[in-house]
Amino acid sequence: MAQISSIADEKTSTPLSSSKSITLRIARFNPEHDDSSKFMEFTVPYEKWTTVLEAILEVKKHFDHSVAVRYSCRQATCGSCGMIINGKPRLACFTKIVELNSNVVTVEPMNNFPIIRDLAVKFERLFDTHHKIKPYLIRDDTELESDAKEFLQSPQELEQYIQFANCIKCGLCNSACPTMATDSSFVGPQALAQAYRYVADSRDKGKDSRLKIIDDSHGIWRCHFAGSCSQVCPKGVDPAMGIQLLRGYLLGFRG
């Protein structure tokens, strides 16, 4: 990718007063006008608490308003600000500059997602595959029809799936997955992990229908078990383990 000269020497007021600074390299690409990506470089001051997202917003405020980035909650809950930071899929709002131990921070759009512009990507494929596995409780009855009014669970039953319920749909696991890059029909680790979340839920009765959906050449059997998905999840979800446990159901090792 080509670099263009820095414009960080422009005199401008900034709320950050730190004497420390990093070179922030931002990938710029507009598919409607550009043939390839390029990097723009900016010198950005930072404090020990400054996140990568804050550095990007500093650039938007003082250097280039046109930088496209998606963000919302700023507290690693909404999953909006996923991107490649120094070669690894991360949440920009959850990644502090000091944690990177580098004077140069390079931010790029997530892999395996179509680019809208710069750092913002399209999530249609992720949402479609998530919806495909029926991400809701399936039952023949309801609380309204039951005398108990509640579907109670023991702590042990909750433990079977609770970590998988922490998924925030940030897309980092799909971005890290090598199979997502080679198979455009692969359902992906995010959807497979969520399939396990409901299959393992004692309140759910839709196990057989979900297993039929993922028992496909582009489904669970397409996973090569690289484990990259689990390494990048910001919420501690382990999609690789969920996929292996799902295979246990399909192979008859689990009931």
Side-chain angles (χ1 to χ4, degrees):
M1 295 182 180
Q3 293 184 356
I4 68 171
S5 60
S6 171
I7 62 170
D9 294 333
E10 294 180 4
K11 294 182 179 180
T12 181
S13 60
T14 175
L16 296 178
S17 58
S18 173
S19 59
K20 296 180 179 180
S21 63
I22 50 101
T23 299
L24 181 63
R25 302 176 69 240
I26 302 178
R28 307 298 305 274
F29 178 65
N30 186 337
E32 295 183 359
H33 305 105
D34 301 330
D35 295 326
S36 61
S37 299
K38 63 189 177 197
F39 284 104
M40 293 186 70
E41 296 186 357
F42 307 89
T43 300
V44 182
Y46 71 95
E47 304 286 353
K48 63 181 180 181
W49 56 79
T50 305
T51 65
V52 173
L53 177 60
E54 289 172 331
I56 295 171
L57 297 181
E58 184 78 2
V59 168
K60 283 181 65 67
K61 182 176 181 180
H62 296 285
F63 296 128
D64 190 338
H65 306 316
S66 69
V67 174
V69 59
R70 180 189 285 116
Y71 69 99
S72 183
C73 75
R74 294 184 165 192
Q75 55 184 5
T77 300
C78 72
S80 297
C81 63
M83 61 186 68
I84 305 296
I85 301 175
N86 282 6
K88 182 179 179 179
R90 310 173 191 255
L91 291 182
C93 75
F94 197 54
T95 305
K96 292 184 175 66
I97 289 175
V98 294
E99 296 172 345
L100 299 173
N101 295 316
S102 175
N103 293 324
V104 179
V105 176
T106 302
V107 292
E108 304 168 83
M110 287 193 294
N111 299 323
N112 307 328
F113 289 84
I115 299 173
I116 297 175
R117 186 161 60 88
D118 300 339
L119 304 175
V121 297
K122 297 180 180 179
F123 272 70
E124 282 83 357
R125 180 180 176 187
L126 183 143
F127 293 146
D128 288 345
T129 53
H130 179 75
H131 183 264
K132 180 179 180 180
I133 57 94
K134 301 181 179 179
Y136 43 82
L137 294 179
I138 298 174
R139 294 186 66 94
D140 295 329
D141 58 345
T142 70
E143 294 95 328
L144 298 178
E145 297 170 353
S146 171
D147 292 336
K149 302 297 183 185
E150 295 177 295
F151 299 134
L152 299 179
Q153 289 183 308
S154 68
Q156 292 74 25
E157 289 173 327
L158 178 67
E159 189 66 26
Q160 294 299 310
Y161 72 87
I162 189 61
Q163 71 148 295
F164 298 94
N166 292 329
C167 173
I168 58 175
K169 305 171 190 63
C170 61
L172 296 186
C173 58
N174 284 9
S175 177
C177 176
T179 304
M180 292 290 292
T182 58
D183 186 349
S184 60
S185 299
F186 179 48
V187 67
Q190 188 276 336
L192 290 172
Q194 291 308 286
Y196 178 75
R197 176 257 178 273
Y198 289 97
V199 166
D201 194 323
S202 62
R203 300 166 298 176
D204 184 75
K205 304 301 180 184
K207 179 182 70 174
D208 291 341
S209 63
R210 284 197 191 85
L211 292 180
K212 287 180 181 178
I213 292 170
I214 63 173
D215 187 10
D216 182 83
S217 59
H218 297 286
I220 195 168
W221 306 113
R222 193 69 175 86
C223 170
H224 296 164
F225 202 60
S228 305
C229 51
S230 298
Q231 295 176 15
V232 302
C233 179
K235 308 305 286 187
V237 180
D238 190 347
M241 181 178 73
I243 292 170
Q244 291 300 84
L245 292 172
L246 279 175
R247 285 177 173 175
Y249 283 104
L250 289 166
L251 296 172
F253 300 143
R254 299 172 65 87

